[in-house]
Amino acid sequence: MTTDCLQLLRPDAARLPRAEVRTQVVIPLRFPDGYATTADVLTFHHLLDGKEHLLLGLGDWRARIAQLPLGGEAPLVRPHSECLTGDVFGSERCDCGPQLREAVERIAAEGGFLLYLRQEGRGIGLYEKLDAYALQDAGLDTYAANRALGRGEDERDYRAAVQMLLTVGADRIRLLSNNPDKAAQLEEHGVAVDERVPTGVHLSAANRRYLTVKRDHTAHTLDLDIA
C-alpha cells in the first residue's frame, strides 16, 4: 500500500471486501490529437471480480481527496468500460473512444479519477461483442443482439469500481457519465454520487442508431436532437 493513498472509508463500505493498492506508477499520456497529461496509475489486490482494472489519478486528485472530510467538492470520476474497437482502433460504431479522450482532459482539469474497467461489450467480452455487431447488421439493436446471444443486455457490475474508489478515499464523487445505472450501482455499494455530470455527445453516422437506442431503452442522458 502506498502512503499517499488515503484510507478514508465510509462506515457502510464494510459491505464489500477491502481492496489494497498493489502498484502505483506515473505514466505520461499523449493522445493522437496532441493532448498530453500525466496519470498516477494504480493496480489493486482483492478486487471482487478478479479482473485487472486500473484507476488513473488525474490532475490534483490528492487535494480533492484531502478536502472531502472538510466538505470540499468531490473528485470528478468516470468509470470507463474497456472498448478495444473504439478506444484503440477508433471505431465509429460506438462513442467510447471520444468519451475516453474527453474524460481524461476534463478530469485532469478538475482533479479526479478515470477507472478503466475490463468490461468489453458491456461485460460479454470482445468476441461476443463482435458477434452482437453481426446481429446488429442483420437488424437487431444493441440490446436485442446481446439477448439473442443468450447474454444480459448489460452484464457490468461496478462493485470493483467501488472497491477502488474507497481504497483511495473517494467515498463521494461527481460522476462523469450519461448512464443512470452507473450512479445507481455506485451508490448501492457505498459511494455517494453528489452530482451526475453528462459527457459530450459524440454522434456520427455510424453510431446514430446505437446512441438513440441507449437514450430510449436505458434512459442515457443524451441530447441527440433526434425526434
mmCIF file of all heavy atoms in Angstrom, residues 116-156:
data_model
loop_
_atom_site.group_PDB
_atom_site.id
_atom_site.type_symbol
_atom_site.label_atom_id
_atom_site.label_comp_id
_atom_site.label_asym_id
_atom_site.label_seq_id
_atom_site.Cartn_x
_atom_site.Cartn_y
_atom_site.Cartn_z
ATOM 1 N N TYR A 116 -10.503 2.532 -15.531
ATOM 2 C CA TYR A 116 -10.533 1.796 -16.792
ATOM 3 C C TYR A 116 -10.890 0.350 -16.462
ATOM 4 O O TYR A 116 -10.078 -0.413 -15.932
ATOM 5 C CB TYR A 116 -9.194 1.878 -17.523
ATOM 6 C CG TYR A 116 -9.336 1.508 -18.981
ATOM 7 C CD1 TYR A 116 -9.852 2.421 -19.902
ATOM 8 C CD2 TYR A 116 -8.974 0.252 -19.436
ATOM 9 C CE1 TYR A 116 -10.000 2.083 -21.232
ATOM 10 C CE2 TYR A 116 -9.115 -0.093 -20.776
ATOM 11 C CZ TYR A 116 -9.629 0.829 -21.673
ATOM 12 O OH TYR A 116 -9.786 0.493 -22.993
ATOM 13 N N LEU A 117 -12.136 -0.011 -16.762
ATOM 14 C CA LEU A 117 -12.732 -1.266 -16.312
ATOM 15 C C LEU A 117 -12.746 -2.280 -17.455
ATOM 16 O O LEU A 117 -13.199 -1.977 -18.566
ATOM 17 C CB LEU A 117 -14.155 -1.016 -15.801
ATOM 18 C CG LEU A 117 -14.256 0.043 -14.697
ATOM 19 C CD1 LEU A 117 -15.716 0.320 -14.367
ATOM 20 C CD2 LEU A 117 -13.498 -0.405 -13.446
ATOM 21 N N ARG A 118 -12.301 -3.486 -17.153
ATOM 22 C CA ARG A 118 -12.190 -4.530 -18.175
ATOM 23 C C ARG A 118 -13.563 -5.183 -18.382
ATOM 24 O O ARG A 118 -13.838 -6.294 -17.938
ATOM 25 C CB ARG A 118 -11.142 -5.557 -17.754
ATOM 26 C CG ARG A 118 -9.825 -4.948 -17.283
ATOM 27 C CD ARG A 118 -9.176 -4.029 -18.303
ATOM 28 N NE ARG A 118 -8.763 -4.733 -19.499
ATOM 29 C CZ ARG A 118 -7.597 -5.364 -19.624
ATOM 30 N NH1 ARG A 118 -6.728 -5.388 -18.624
ATOM 31 N NH2 ARG A 118 -7.292 -5.964 -20.752
ATOM 32 N N GLN A 119 -14.435 -4.451 -19.065
ATOM 33 C CA GLN A 119 -15.837 -4.853 -19.245
ATOM 34 C C GLN A 119 -16.230 -4.761 -20.717
ATOM 35 O O GLN A 119 -17.255 -4.186 -21.057
ATOM 36 C CB GLN A 119 -16.752 -3.944 -18.418
ATOM 37 C CG GLN A 119 -16.465 -3.936 -16.929
ATOM 38 C CD GLN A 119 -17.258 -2.864 -16.214
ATOM 39 O OE1 GLN A 119 -17.546 -1.796 -16.778
ATOM 40 N NE2 GLN A 119 -17.619 -3.117 -14.976
ATOM 41 N N GLU A 120 -15.408 -5.301 -21.576
ATOM 42 C CA GLU A 120 -15.649 -5.213 -23.019
ATOM 43 C C GLU A 120 -17.062 -5.678 -23.367
ATOM 44 O O GLU A 120 -17.561 -6.666 -22.835
ATOM 45 C CB GLU A 120 -14.635 -6.105 -23.739
ATOM 46 C CG GLU A 120 -14.670 -6.028 -25.237
ATOM 47 C CD GLU A 120 -13.949 -4.814 -25.784
ATOM 48 O OE1 GLU A 120 -12.797 -4.563 -25.375
ATOM 49 O OE2 GLU A 120 -14.541 -4.125 -26.644
ATOM 50 N N GLY A 121 -17.710 -4.916 -24.236
ATOM 51 C CA GLY A 121 -19.020 -5.308 -24.730
ATOM 52 C C GLY A 121 -20.100 -5.330 -23.662
ATOM 53 O O GLY A 121 -20.964 -6.211 -23.671
ATOM 54 N N ARG A 122 -20.076 -4.346 -22.748
ATOM 55 C CA ARG A 122 -20.994 -4.311 -21.594
ATOM 56 C C ARG A 122 -20.924 -5.613 -20.811
ATOM 57 O O ARG A 122 -21.909 -6.107 -20.288
ATOM 58 C CB ARG A 122 -22.434 -3.999 -22.022
ATOM 59 C CG ARG A 122 -22.610 -2.609 -22.611
ATOM 60 C CD ARG A 122 -24.067 -2.159 -22.630
ATOM 61 N NE ARG A 122 -24.932 -3.045 -23.335
ATOM 62 C CZ ARG A 122 -25.162 -2.998 -24.656
ATOM 63 N NH1 ARG A 122 -24.580 -2.071 -25.396
ATOM 64 N NH2 ARG A 122 -25.974 -3.854 -25.231
ATOM 65 N N GLY A 123 -19.710 -6.184 -20.749
ATOM 66 C CA GLY A 123 -19.470 -7.345 -19.905
ATOM 67 C C GLY A 123 -19.492 -8.685 -20.599
ATOM 68 O O GLY A 123 -19.213 -9.701 -19.959
ATOM 69 N N ILE A 124 -19.771 -8.738 -21.918
ATOM 70 C CA ILE A 124 -19.873 -10.042 -22.576
ATOM 71 C C ILE A 124 -18.575 -10.457 -23.270
ATOM 72 O O ILE A 124 -18.466 -11.580 -23.751
ATOM 73 C CB ILE A 124 -21.046 -10.094 -23.580
ATOM 74 C CG1 ILE A 124 -20.801 -9.202 -24.795
ATOM 75 C CG2 ILE A 124 -22.352 -9.728 -22.885
ATOM 76 C CD1 ILE A 124 -21.858 -9.355 -25.887
ATOM 77 N N GLY A 125 -17.602 -9.562 -23.346
ATOM 78 C CA GLY A 125 -16.318 -9.913 -23.947
ATOM 79 C C GLY A 125 -16.206 -9.485 -25.400
ATOM 80 O O GLY A 125 -17.209 -9.197 -26.070
ATOM 81 N N LEU A 126 -14.985 -9.471 -25.901
ATOM 82 C CA LEU A 126 -14.710 -8.943 -27.238
ATOM 83 C C LEU A 126 -15.323 -9.796 -28.347
ATOM 84 O O LEU A 126 -15.974 -9.268 -29.254
ATOM 85 C CB LEU A 126 -13.199 -8.831 -27.448
ATOM 86 C CG LEU A 126 -12.740 -8.337 -28.814
ATOM 87 C CD1 LEU A 126 -13.278 -6.936 -29.100
ATOM 88 C CD2 LEU A 126 -11.217 -8.357 -28.896
ATOM 89 N N TYR A 127 -15.134 -11.090 -28.299
ATOM 90 C CA TYR A 127 -15.651 -11.931 -29.383
ATOM 91 C C TYR A 127 -17.177 -11.853 -29.468
ATOM 92 O O TYR A 127 -17.741 -11.728 -30.560
ATOM 93 C CB TYR A 127 -15.196 -13.382 -29.195
ATOM 94 C CG TYR A 127 -13.836 -13.705 -29.760
ATOM 95 C CD1 TYR A 127 -12.894 -12.713 -30.010
ATOM 96 C CD2 TYR A 127 -13.495 -15.018 -30.061
ATOM 97 C CE1 TYR A 127 -11.653 -13.029 -30.524
ATOM 98 C CE2 TYR A 127 -12.246 -15.333 -30.580
ATOM 99 C CZ TYR A 127 -11.328 -14.335 -30.809
ATOM 100 O OH TYR A 127 -10.098 -14.653 -31.327
ATOM 101 N N GLU A 128 -17.832 -11.946 -28.330
ATOM 102 C CA GLU A 128 -19.299 -11.895 -28.369
ATOM 103 C C GLU A 128 -19.796 -10.489 -28.698
ATOM 104 O O GLU A 128 -20.880 -10.337 -29.272
ATOM 105 C CB GLU A 128 -19.895 -12.410 -27.061
ATOM 106 C CG GLU A 128 -19.778 -13.920 -26.925
ATOM 107 C CD GLU A 128 -20.710 -14.496 -25.889
ATOM 108 O OE1 GLU A 128 -20.372 -14.447 -24.684
ATOM 109 O OE2 GLU A 128 -21.782 -15.008 -26.279
ATOM 110 N N LYS A 129 -19.031 -9.457 -28.369
ATOM 111 C CA LYS A 129 -19.410 -8.121 -28.811
ATOM 112 C C LYS A 129 -19.419 -8.061 -30.335
ATOM 113 O O LYS A 129 -20.346 -7.498 -30.948
ATOM 114 C CB LYS A 129 -18.455 -7.069 -28.255
ATOM 115 C CG LYS A 129 -18.831 -5.649 -28.687
ATOM 116 C CD LYS A 129 -17.908 -4.602 -28.106
ATOM 117 C CE LYS A 129 -16.675 -4.412 -28.944
ATOM 118 N NZ LYS A 129 -15.906 -3.206 -28.503
ATOM 119 N N LEU A 130 -18.404 -8.661 -30.953
ATOM 120 C CA LEU A 130 -18.366 -8.671 -32.413
ATOM 121 C C LEU A 130 -19.464 -9.560 -32.997
ATOM 122 O O LEU A 130 -20.031 -9.254 -34.061
ATOM 123 C CB LEU A 130 -16.989 -9.118 -32.891
ATOM 124 C CG LEU A 130 -15.849 -8.149 -32.508
ATOM 125 C CD1 LEU A 130 -14.508 -8.723 -32.921
ATOM 126 C CD2 LEU A 130 -16.053 -6.771 -33.115
ATOM 127 N N ASP A 131 -19.797 -10.643 -32.294
ATOM 128 C CA ASP A 131 -20.960 -11.447 -32.701
ATOM 129 C C ASP A 131 -22.230 -10.592 -32.659
ATOM 130 O O ASP A 131 -23.086 -10.669 -33.551
ATOM 131 C CB ASP A 131 -21.136 -12.649 -31.778
ATOM 132 C CG ASP A 131 -20.030 -13.684 -31.909
ATOM 133 O OD1 ASP A 131 -19.319 -13.681 -32.934
ATOM 134 O OD2 ASP A 131 -19.877 -14.499 -30.969
ATOM 135 N N ALA A 132 -22.337 -9.774 -31.605
ATOM 136 C CA ALA A 132 -23.502 -8.892 -31.477
ATOM 137 C C ALA A 132 -23.515 -7.859 -32.599
ATOM 138 O O ALA A 132 -24.593 -7.512 -33.120
ATOM 139 C CB ALA A 132 -23.493 -8.208 -30.113
ATOM 140 N N TYR A 133 -22.359 -7.380 -33.014
ATOM 141 C CA TYR A 133 -22.306 -6.453 -34.151
ATOM 142 C C TYR A 133 -22.888 -7.111 -35.405
ATOM 143 O O TYR A 133 -23.616 -6.472 -36.174
ATOM 144 C CB TYR A 133 -20.862 -6.040 -34.428
ATOM 145 C CG TYR A 133 -20.321 -4.924 -33.567
ATOM 146 C CD1 TYR A 133 -21.086 -4.313 -32.572
ATOM 147 C CD2 TYR A 133 -19.019 -4.467 -33.757
ATOM 148 C CE1 TYR A 133 -20.579 -3.297 -31.796
ATOM 149 C CE2 TYR A 133 -18.500 -3.443 -32.990
ATOM 150 C CZ TYR A 133 -19.273 -2.868 -32.013
ATOM 151 O OH TYR A 133 -18.762 -1.843 -31.250
ATOM 152 N N ALA A 134 -22.543 -8.378 -35.625
ATOM 153 C CA ALA A 134 -23.074 -9.075 -36.795
ATOM 154 C C ALA A 134 -24.597 -9.153 -36.742
ATOM 155 O O ALA A 134 -25.274 -8.998 -37.759
ATOM 156 C CB ALA A 134 -22.467 -10.476 -36.884
ATOM 157 N N LEU A 135 -25.130 -9.400 -35.532
ATOM 158 C CA LEU A 135 -26.582 -9.440 -35.379
ATOM 159 C C LEU A 135 -27.199 -8.056 -35.581
ATOM 160 O O LEU A 135 -28.308 -7.929 -36.104
ATOM 161 C CB LEU A 135 -26.941 -9.987 -33.997
ATOM 162 C CG LEU A 135 -26.617 -11.468 -33.778
ATOM 163 C CD1 LEU A 135 -26.828 -11.849 -32.316
ATOM 164 C CD2 LEU A 135 -27.475 -12.350 -34.681
ATOM 165 N N GLN A 136 -26.480 -7.008 -35.175
ATOM 166 C CA GLN A 136 -26.971 -5.648 -35.414
ATOM 167 C C GLN A 136 -27.001 -5.358 -36.913
ATOM 168 O O GLN A 136 -27.933 -4.706 -37.412
ATOM 169 C CB GLN A 136 -26.092 -4.639 -34.682
ATOM 170 C CG GLN A 136 -26.233 -4.692 -33.167
ATOM 171 C CD GLN A 136 -25.165 -3.869 -32.470
ATOM 172 O OE1 GLN A 136 -24.874 -2.746 -32.866
ATOM 173 N NE2 GLN A 136 -24.562 -4.436 -31.428
ATOM 174 N N ASP A 137 -26.006 -5.850 -37.630
ATOM 175 C CA ASP A 137 -26.003 -5.667 -39.085
ATOM 176 C C ASP A 137 -27.194 -6.367 -39.735
ATOM 177 O O ASP A 137 -27.636 -5.977 -40.824
ATOM 178 C CB ASP A 137 -24.705 -6.212 -39.686
ATOM 179 C CG ASP A 137 -23.493 -5.367 -39.328
ATOM 180 O OD1 ASP A 137 -23.678 -4.211 -38.895
ATOM 181 O OD2 ASP A 137 -22.358 -5.882 -39.451
ATOM 182 N N ALA A 138 -27.719 -7.398 -39.051
ATOM 183 C CA ALA A 138 -28.894 -8.117 -39.563
ATOM 184 C C ALA A 138 -30.199 -7.486 -39.105
ATOM 185 O O ALA A 138 -31.272 -7.991 -39.454
ATOM 186 C CB ALA A 138 -28.837 -9.574 -39.120
ATOM 187 N N GLY A 139 -30.109 -6.401 -38.288
ATOM 188 C CA GLY A 139 -31.323 -5.676 -37.944
ATOM 189 C C GLY A 139 -31.627 -5.507 -36.472
ATOM 190 O O GLY A 139 -32.508 -4.727 -36.114
ATOM 191 N N LEU A 140 -30.954 -6.249 -35.595
ATOM 192 C CA LEU A 140 -31.231 -6.125 -34.169
ATOM 193 C C LEU A 140 -30.551 -4.872 -33.604
ATOM 194 O O LEU A 140 -29.530 -4.412 -34.121
ATOM 195 C CB LEU A 140 -30.727 -7.353 -33.407
ATOM 196 C CG LEU A 140 -31.356 -8.693 -33.771
ATOM 197 C CD1 LEU A 140 -30.796 -9.795 -32.869
ATOM 198 C CD2 LEU A 140 -32.875 -8.640 -33.663
ATOM 199 N N ASP A 141 -31.120 -4.322 -32.512
ATOM 200 C CA ASP A 141 -30.422 -3.227 -31.852
ATOM 201 C C ASP A 141 -29.392 -3.792 -30.882
ATOM 202 O O ASP A 141 -29.290 -5.015 -30.691
ATOM 203 C CB ASP A 141 -31.401 -2.266 -31.163
ATOM 204 C CG ASP A 141 -32.127 -2.861 -29.956
ATOM 205 O OD1 ASP A 141 -31.483 -3.565 -29.134
ATOM 206 O OD2 ASP A 141 -33.330 -2.605 -29.796
ATOM 207 N N THR A 142 -28.627 -2.930 -30.254
ATOM 208 C CA THR A 142 -27.507 -3.378 -29.434
ATOM 209 C C THR A 142 -27.932 -4.231 -28.241
ATOM 210 O O THR A 142 -27.232 -5.180 -27.865
ATOM 211 C CB THR A 142 -26.673 -2.165 -28.955
ATOM 212 O OG1 THR A 142 -25.582 -2.615 -28.167
ATOM 213 C CG2 THR A 142 -27.509 -1.187 -28.146
ATOM 214 N N TYR A 143 -29.091 -3.952 -27.659
ATOM 215 C CA TYR A 143 -29.555 -4.734 -26.511
ATOM 216 C C TYR A 143 -30.181 -6.053 -26.969
ATOM 217 O O TYR A 143 -29.935 -7.106 -26.370
ATOM 218 C CB TYR A 143 -30.551 -3.917 -25.681
ATOM 219 C CG TYR A 143 -29.929 -2.676 -25.098
ATOM 220 C CD1 TYR A 143 -30.206 -1.421 -25.630
ATOM 221 C CD2 TYR A 143 -29.041 -2.749 -24.030
ATOM 222 C CE1 TYR A 143 -29.625 -0.278 -25.107
ATOM 223 C CE2 TYR A 143 -28.455 -1.614 -23.500
ATOM 224 C CZ TYR A 143 -28.752 -0.377 -24.048
ATOM 225 O OH TYR A 143 -28.162 0.754 -23.530
ATOM 226 N N ALA A 144 -30.981 -6.001 -28.030
ATOM 227 C CA ALA A 144 -31.589 -7.221 -28.552
ATOM 228 C C ALA A 144 -30.523 -8.198 -29.042
ATOM 229 O O ALA A 144 -30.668 -9.425 -28.909
ATOM 230 C CB ALA A 144 -32.562 -6.888 -29.680
ATOM 231 N N ALA A 145 -29.432 -7.673 -29.592
ATOM 232 C CA ALA A 145 -28.352 -8.545 -30.066
ATOM 233 C C ALA A 145 -27.724 -9.312 -28.908
ATOM 234 O O ALA A 145 -27.452 -10.517 -29.021
ATOM 235 C CB ALA A 145 -27.300 -7.719 -30.794
ATOM 236 N N ASN A 146 -27.502 -8.645 -27.774
ATOM 237 C CA ASN A 146 -26.974 -9.346 -26.601
ATOM 238 C C ASN A 146 -27.929 -10.450 -26.151
ATOM 239 O O ASN A 146 -27.510 -11.565 -25.833
ATOM 240 C CB ASN A 146 -26.740 -8.362 -25.456
ATOM 241 C CG ASN A 146 -25.419 -7.633 -25.556
ATOM 242 O OD1 ASN A 146 -24.871 -7.475 -26.643
ATOM 243 N ND2 ASN A 146 -24.909 -7.171 -24.434
ATOM 244 N N ARG A 147 -29.214 -10.134 -26.120
ATOM 245 C CA ARG A 147 -30.200 -11.134 -25.686
ATOM 246 C C ARG A 147 -30.220 -12.321 -26.646
ATOM 247 O O ARG A 147 -30.351 -13.470 -26.219
ATOM 248 C CB ARG A 147 -31.594 -10.506 -25.586
ATOM 249 C CG ARG A 147 -31.732 -9.444 -24.506
ATOM 250 C CD ARG A 147 -33.196 -9.128 -24.213
ATOM 251 N NE ARG A 147 -33.926 -8.710 -25.389
ATOM 252 C CZ ARG A 147 -34.048 -7.443 -25.794
ATOM 253 N NH1 ARG A 147 -33.450 -6.472 -25.104
ATOM 254 N NH2 ARG A 147 -34.739 -7.124 -26.869
ATOM 255 N N ALA A 148 -30.078 -12.056 -27.932
ATOM 256 C CA ALA A 148 -30.083 -13.136 -28.915
ATOM 257 C C ALA A 148 -28.891 -14.074 -28.726
ATOM 258 O O ALA A 148 -28.954 -15.246 -29.112
ATOM 259 C CB ALA A 148 -30.081 -12.557 -30.332
ATOM 260 N N LEU A 149 -27.836 -13.584 -28.125
ATOM 261 C CA LEU A 149 -26.667 -14.415 -27.825
ATOM 262 C C LEU A 149 -26.794 -15.154 -26.500
ATOM 263 O O LEU A 149 -25.887 -15.875 -26.089
ATOM 264 C CB LEU A 149 -25.403 -13.542 -27.787
ATOM 265 C CG LEU A 149 -24.974 -12.927 -29.119
ATOM 266 C CD1 LEU A 149 -23.841 -11.929 -28.890
ATOM 267 C CD2 LEU A 149 -24.546 -14.009 -30.108
ATOM 268 N N GLY A 150 -27.939 -14.966 -25.828
ATOM 269 C CA GLY A 150 -28.142 -15.595 -24.539
ATOM 270 C C GLY A 150 -27.461 -14.854 -23.399
ATOM 271 O O GLY A 150 -27.261 -15.417 -22.312
ATOM 272 N N ARG A 151 -27.117 -13.606 -23.618
ATOM 273 C CA ARG A 151 -26.454 -12.792 -22.609
ATOM 274 C C ARG A 151 -27.400 -11.711 -22.110
ATOM 275 O O ARG A 151 -28.444 -11.431 -22.700
ATOM 276 C CB ARG A 151 -25.183 -12.151 -23.186
ATOM 277 C CG ARG A 151 -24.198 -13.111 -23.805
ATOM 278 C CD ARG A 151 -23.703 -14.166 -22.816
ATOM 279 N NE ARG A 151 -22.966 -13.591 -21.715
ATOM 280 C CZ ARG A 151 -21.631 -13.559 -21.619
ATOM 281 N NH1 ARG A 151 -20.907 -14.091 -22.586
ATOM 282 N NH2 ARG A 151 -21.028 -13.039 -20.572
ATOM 283 N N GLY A 152 -27.025 -11.083 -20.999
ATOM 284 C CA GLY A 152 -27.810 -9.976 -20.490
ATOM 285 C C GLY A 152 -27.625 -8.732 -21.342
ATOM 286 O O GLY A 152 -26.620 -8.582 -22.049
ATOM 287 N N GLU A 153 -28.586 -7.829 -21.273
ATOM 288 C CA GLU A 153 -28.461 -6.578 -22.019
ATOM 289 C C GLU A 153 -27.225 -5.802 -21.566
ATOM 290 O O GLU A 153 -26.531 -5.186 -22.368
ATOM 291 C CB GLU A 153 -29.708 -5.720 -21.812
ATOM 292 C CG GLU A 153 -30.936 -6.255 -22.492
ATOM 293 C CD GLU A 153 -32.110 -5.318 -22.396
ATOM 294 O OE1 GLU A 153 -32.055 -4.337 -21.614
ATOM 295 O OE2 GLU A 153 -33.106 -5.549 -23.109
ATOM 296 N N ASP A 154 -26.968 -5.814 -20.276
ATOM 297 C CA ASP A 154 -25.795 -5.144 -19.719
ATOM 298 C C ASP A 154 -25.345 -5.947 -18.509
ATOM 299 O O ASP A 154 -26.036 -5.981 -17.489
ATOM 300 C CB ASP A 154 -26.140 -3.709 -19.315
ATOM 301 C CG ASP A 154 -24.914 -2.882 -18.946
ATOM 302 O OD1 ASP A 154 -23.879 -3.479 -18.566
ATOM 303 O OD2 ASP A 154 -24.986 -1.643 -19.022
ATOM 304 N N GLU A 155 -24.216 -6.621 -18.618
ATOM 305 C CA GLU A 155 -23.738 -7.505 -17.562
ATOM 306 C C GLU A 155 -22.683 -6.846 -16.666
ATOM 307 O O GLU A 155 -22.051 -7.519 -15.857
ATOM 308 C CB GLU A 155 -23.175 -8.786 -18.169
ATOM 309 C CG GLU A 155 -24.229 -9.600 -18.911
ATOM 310 C CD GLU A 155 -23.734 -10.967 -19.353
ATOM 311 O OE1 GLU A 155 -22.561 -11.305 -19.086
ATOM 312 O OE2 GLU A 155 -24.533 -11.707 -19.971
ATOM 313 N N ARG A 156 -22.529 -5.544 -16.767
ATOM 314 C CA ARG A 156 -21.499 -4.879 -15.989
ATOM 315 C C ARG A 156 -21.876 -4.776 -14.512
ATOM 316 O O ARG A 156 -23.019 -4.489 -14.173
ATOM 317 C CB ARG A 156 -21.208 -3.490 -16.555
ATOM 318 C CG ARG A 156 -20.491 -3.524 -17.878
ATOM 319 C CD ARG A 156 -20.342 -2.151 -18.481
ATOM 320 N NE ARG A 156 -21.626 -1.583 -18.869
ATOM 321 C CZ ARG A 156 -21.765 -0.405 -19.467
ATOM 322 N NH1 ARG A 156 -20.692 0.322 -19.742
ATOM 323 N NH2 ARG A 156 -22.960 0.038 -19.809
#
